[in-house]
Amino acid sequence: MMSLLELRQLNKHFGGLHVTNSVDLTLEPGEIHCLIGPNGAGKSTLFRLILGEHHPGSGEILFAGENITALKSFARIHRGLSVKFQVPGVFKGLSVRQNLEIALQSRHRGAELGDEIDRLLGFLGLESEQQQTAGNLSHGQKQWLEIGMAISLKPRLLLLDEPTAGMSPEETHMTGEMVQRLNADGMTVLAIEHDMAFVRQVAQRVTVLHLGQVFAQGSIDEIVADERVAAIYLGQAHA
Amino acid sequence: MTGLLSLFRRLEGPQTVGRGPAFWGMFAVVLMGALAYPLFSDGYTVGNTVYFFVWVFIALSLCLIWGYGGSLSFGQTAFFGIAGYSYGILTINFGSAYGFTLVALVIAVAISALFAVLLGYFMFFGRIAGVFLGIVTLAVTLMLERFMAQTAGPEWHIGSARLNGFNGMSAMPPLTIPWPGEPIVLFADVGLYYFVLGVLVLVYLGLRILMNSSFGNVIVAIRENPERAEMLGYDVRKYQLITFVIGAALAGLSGVLYTVWGQYITPSSMGMTAAALPLIWVAVGGRSDLTSTLIGTLMVLAVFQALTIYGSQYALVFMGVLLVLTVLIAPNGLVLGAMNWLGRVTGRVTQRAG
């Protein structure tokens, strides 16, 4: 089967700093893949490269077999990519309902659009907040709202940058279930996450990024058992 | 038929203040009043009211680009001037027969829109944003002012239209509607009043529909968070450019109507003061709402004119003070603040009644 996303020898440097260094990463359709690594490992930069907000110094990005390295961000979204940012990027001054309407309106019109918004509000558990201004939501609710906006595009690949940051353990678990339900419907997910409980709950495969390079890859159990991985988290990689 | 119906439904929505029978009843009363007003007034006063109306279009253009779109354009007066001069050049050369003045109006507005396509393309596709957008647009308008100011010599003419430097261009024919028997000439009193009022109502309602459509949704989304908008698959640059061009056309409409009203246009209409005043009207009214902008602009213009009697420099200082006070007390605009307060009060009353 053709892989959904393939990063080939992706390099990005800001001045002398190599943020990503010859990164190779392949995502199979239908998997939930978690990207972990210490702060500054290059995880968010890798997302920005995939989304076209940054352009790599060298290397290629293939999506469903197509080379998208030179495409603009919005064109990549049209191909089937979608993202939830690290800092929730909701439209703060607009109502929750309008936030979802803006995300959904390119695929639905009229009464169908209203139904689709209601359905999504139900999925996110935000029905009673729909008239609220998005900027007034709790941090966790903002995260959910943005996940809702991201999935309204019915993407083939959903990128989640720290979806559970600032959430309580219960909220984190609910988010995990949300991601699993989406995956059951066929959505491939690539998530950056620090919360190991979440990674353990959802990840089918884990890639550890360290100093801009792929450091280790495997199942969550393999990664946890890997002493070298434990070492970089404790800051002993150079010892 | 259903298409028309859905258009009407777009007259209200989250992007515009005012909805329901109470608002539209008020709208009808105000419109009736505006229609009847010339019957109770003299030609001079009516002409003066037209002068106020003329500026509302440029205010609405800024409301669209800045208030809804989040891009501060300091250069709306550039489009104002381009369209004004274009109308003058066209009509001085080709006259007013066969309804040509109306054609000239459309062409002049189209020329300013075309200029906006060119300027906007380089700005938005070059990803110029924020304060730099204001700087570039201001530079353009001041450059045009400087250029037009040095065209006093007889060598500066287009056809038989002299550009006339700082004295400006004058004596272009007023708008003339061809009519069997005798053409109707819209002089700057009752005739022009009804024409401008009609255009104003159409533009106001049209913009309400536009802003409550899916296009309007994207425009405010870009204001709130351009990165998120792009990551929902919208080509932000394209939407910004279209908004900018619509805004330029409206500013151009202001310019033509101003030229028609006074039968003259000068470079100072693109100068620093002229560029700054619309910002004040829009900010004081409430830049993120069409109705607030409209009411605010008319109010500030009326106050400004009343103050000018005591000295135009003092009036300008007052405008500055008004802007500072607005920013401090009601950053979203005085009229918008008042309307929201009114909405809350009446909402509470109807809630209690229900």
Side-chain angles (χ1 to χ4, degrees):
Chain A
M1 200 198 287
M2 189 198 292
S3 52
L4 186 60
L5 181 74
E6 200 179 332
L7 309 182
R8 285 184 187 161
Q9 292 290 305
L10 219 50
N11 278 303
K12 176 74 191 175
H13 53 89
F14 296 119
L17 181 69
H18 271 270
V19 201
T20 62
N21 196 347
S22 301
V23 169
D24 282 308
L25 183 69
T26 304
L27 286 191
E28 300 308 326
E31 73 170 323
I32 302 180
H33 197 121
C34 281
L35 203 56
I36 65 170
N39 285 327
K43 304 182 297 290
S44 288
T45 303
L46 199 63
F47 264 30
R48 293 190 184 281
L49 288 170
I50 297 171
L51 290 163
E53 289 196 301
H54 290 332
H55 290 281
S58 66
E60 285 182 338
I61 305 166
L62 272 70
F63 186 69
E66 182 192 3
N67 189 339
I68 61 165
T69 320
L71 287 185
K72 298 255 182 274
S73 295
F74 67 89
R76 298 184 192 205
I77 302 298
H78 292 174
R79 298 294 193 283
L81 274 165
S82 194
V83 63
K84 186 213 82 71
F85 292 110
Q86 184 174 2
V87 179
V90 295
F91 303 123
K92 288 195 192 113
L94 311 179
S95 72
V96 169
R97 198 176 172 84
Q98 210 186 341
N99 267 271
L100 293 177
E101 183 178 321
I102 291 166
L104 282 163
Q105 67 179 16
S106 46
R107 313 183 130 256
H108 306 278
R109 294 240 171 263
E112 189 195 316
L113 177 60
D115 294 345
E116 207 52 39
I117 296 172
D118 291 334
R119 202 188 58 76
L120 200 52
L121 283 167
F123 178 83
L124 302 168
L126 291 172
E127 294 107 324
S128 45
E129 281 82 15
Q130 58 171 304
Q131 296 305 338
Q132 262 194 47
T133 307
N136 295 338
L137 293 177
S138 74
H139 188 75
Q141 288 172 324
K142 277 184 202 154
Q143 300 267 45
W144 284 333
L145 176 59
E146 205 193 355
I147 291 174
M149 291 159 77
I151 63 173
S152 36
L153 304 175
K154 296 260 183 323
R156 295 160 77 183
L157 173 60
L158 177 63
L159 303 174
L160 298 172
D161 196 345
E162 299 195 19
T164 72
M167 284 187 181
S168 68
E170 297 80 49
E171 288 175 324
T172 299
H173 190 76
M174 281 167 67
T175 308
E177 285 178 344
M178 227 180 246
V179 169
Q180 283 173 323
R181 258 185 290 162
L182 293 169
N183 181 247
D185 290 339
M187 206 178 280
T188 310
V189 179
L190 178 62
I192 296 175
E193 191 50 78
H194 287 295
D195 189 319
M196 290 314 279
F198 177 83
V199 176
R200 197 171 269 290
Q201 185 187 352
V202 303
Q204 293 150 3
R205 222 151 48 105
V206 178
T207 295
V208 183
L209 217 59
H210 181 47
L211 299 173
Q213 285 178 305
V214 174
F215 187 77
Q217 200 168 58
S219 72
I220 178 71
D221 291 324
E222 288 164 3
I223 294 299
V224 170
D226 192 331
E227 283 175 16
R228 295 180 313 133
V229 173
I232 60 165
Y233 269 96
L234 296 172
Q236 295 167 355
H238 300 293
Chain B
M1 186 63 209
T2 49
L4 207 64
L5 205 69
S6 70
L7 270 191
F8 278 123
R9 213 169 290 132
R10 295 272 179 217
L11 280 171
E12 25 181 74
Q15 254 87 262
T16 50
V17 170
R19 64 180 66 218
F23 175 79
W24 292 109
M26 186 83 92
F27 175 81
V29 169
V30 171
L31 185 59
M32 290 298 175
L35 285 171
Y37 157 75
L39 303 176
F40 305 101
S41 192
D42 60 286
Y44 173 78
T45 317
V46 172
N48 191 40
T49 309
V50 176
Y51 171 79
F52 289 163
F53 283 0
V54 159
W55 293 108
V56 172
F57 297 98
I58 196 171
L60 289 175
S61 84
L62 197 58
C63 169
L64 183 71
I65 296 174
W66 181 32
Y68 286 99
S71 309
L72 175 56
S73 165
F74 224 124
Q76 293 312 94
T77 45
F79 308 116
F80 181 97
I82 287 172
Y85 272 102
S86 299
Y87 176 85
I89 292 164
L90 284 164
T91 51
I92 288 174
N93 277 300
F94 300 107
S96 61
Y98 309 112
F100 181 74
T101 51
L102 296 174
V103 177
L105 182 150
V106 174
I107 297 176
V109 168
I111 289 173
S112 58
L114 207 67
F115 181 66
V117 171
L118 213 67
L119 178 62
Y121 174 80
F122 287 110
M123 288 196 308
F124 295 115
F125 282 69
R127 301 270 189 190
I128 291 178
V131 66
F132 296 103
L133 205 75
I135 293 170
V136 172
T137 47
L138 180 63
V140 168
T141 192
L142 293 184
M143 226 161 60
L144 280 172
E145 186 218 7
R146 285 288 104 194
F147 176 80
M148 292 313 291
Q150 54 86 50
T151 57
E155 71 274 24
W156 292 100
H157 65 91
I158 298 176
S160 52
R162 280 273 303 270
L163 297 183
N164 262 344
F166 223 89
N167 293 324
M169 190 186 272
S170 58
M172 53 286 278
L175 284 176
T176 311
I177 299 171
W179 203 258
E182 200 175 340
I184 303 169
V185 182
L186 301 177
F187 290 110
D189 48 35
V190 180
L192 192 61
Y193 175 84
Y194 281 114
F195 180 81
V196 175
L197 180 65
V199 178
L200 184 58
V201 170
L202 282 180
V203 165
Y204 170 73
L205 294 180
L207 285 176
R208 279 188 80 105
I209 291 172
L210 182 73
M211 287 327 293
N212 287 317
S213 70
S214 53
F215 178 85
N217 267 342
V218 179
I219 294 309
V220 292
I222 291 170
R223 174 191 70 198
E224 294 289 317
N225 189 337
E227 188 188 26
R228 181 70 264 175
E230 172 119 18
M231 290 304 168
L232 289 174
Y234 297 113
D235 187 350
V236 168
R237 307 164 304 173
K238 198 179 79 185
Y239 280 90
Q240 285 178 321
L241 179 60
I242 295 172
T243 314
F244 189 67
V245 172
I246 297 173
L250 286 174
L253 184 59
S254 243
V256 174
L257 294 175
Y258 173 83
T259 309
V260 162
W261 174 81
Q263 287 174 266
Y264 73 97
I265 176 107
T266 70
S268 56
S269 64
M270 295 182 278
M272 187 67 203
T273 312
L277 283 175
L279 259 76
I280 298 177
W281 307 333
V282 174
V284 170
R287 63 177 183 275
S288 60
D289 179 59
L290 293 166
T291 317
S292 308
T293 296
L294 191 145
I295 297 172
T297 302
L298 290 175
M299 276 169 41
V300 176
L301 276 167
V303 171
F304 184 72
Q305 195 179 58
L307 284 175
T308 314
I309 298 165
Y310 301 100
S312 62
Q313 296 311 316
Y314 293 115
L316 280 175
V317 171
F318 174 78
M319 285 294 116
V321 172
L322 187 63
L323 181 65
V324 171
L325 285 179
T326 305
V327 171
L328 289 176
I329 299 167
N332 292 327
L334 294 174
V335 178
L336 183 58
M339 291 216 300
N340 282 338
W341 176 80
L342 200 71
R344 274 197 301 276
V345 171
T346 53
R348 228 174 285 151
V349 170
T350 45
Q351 243 171 18
R352 219 172 286 159

